Amino acid sequence: MKTRKVWASAVILFLLAVSFYFLNTRVWVDKYEINGDAILFENNKYVYAESDADHLGKTIGIAYSEGKKRGITDYIWPEWVYGYKGDKAHRRIFVRGLMDMGDTYIRQ
């Protein structure tokens, strides 16, 4: 009986950890809106620049298309938005999709 409770507790803990990870990386992150060749976030507008994938930092959010409701594929395979190391103000961001090499955008 005790081993069953231990296994049930372990399974519940694992499911909670997986669901928290999913929510933390897909739902509770900053959302950047793709509007043509520009990306909008709060009052900032980022425009496309030459790709530069060197010195990428942590993931800072996800990007989604303007006017389109986010579908299930946007939650499973989002377009990740990365910041650059040492750039605390996020003047440059890097957007990468599932099968995409990624593009750099610079804040205007």
Side-chain angles (χ1 to χ4, degrees):
M1 184 68 173
K2 283 187 177 184
T3 58
R4 185 180 302 170
K5 287 183 181 179
V6 169
W7 279 106
S9 298
V11 168
I12 289 171
L13 183 63
F14 176 74
L15 292 175
L16 284 172
V18 167
S19 42
F20 181 76
Y21 174 77
F22 181 82
L23 289 171
N24 196 32
T25 58
R26 281 10 183 240
V27 179
W28 297 331
V29 295
D30 292 331
K31 291 156 189 78
Y32 292 75
E33 183 178 343
I34 300 173
N35 187 358
D37 289 340
I39 292 182
L40 306 173
F41 176 69
E42 293 175 349
N43 293 330
N44 298 318
K45 180 178 180 180
Y46 294 88
V47 293
Y48 178 77
E50 278 189 39
S51 261
D52 177 21
D54 295 335
H55 310 294
L56 290 180
K58 297 188 319 183
T59 304
I60 58 173
I62 56 174
Y64 66 96
S65 297
E66 171 199 18
K68 183 181 115 178
K69 187 175 179 180
R70 290 176 61 195
I72 190 71
T73 56
D74 292 330
Y75 289 104
I76 297 172
W77 301 292
E79 293 188 38
W80 298 105
V81 177
Y82 296 91
Y84 283 89
K85 290 181 183 173
D87 185 13
K88 301 285 185 200
H90 303 301
R91 289 184 204 92
R92 295 185 317 153
I93 59 173
F94 187 78
V95 180
R96 179 182 298 166
L98 176 65
M99 300 295 285
D100 189 14
M101 293 302 289
D103 296 316
T104 300
Y105 292 83
I106 298 176
R107 185 170 60 197
Q108 295 297 305

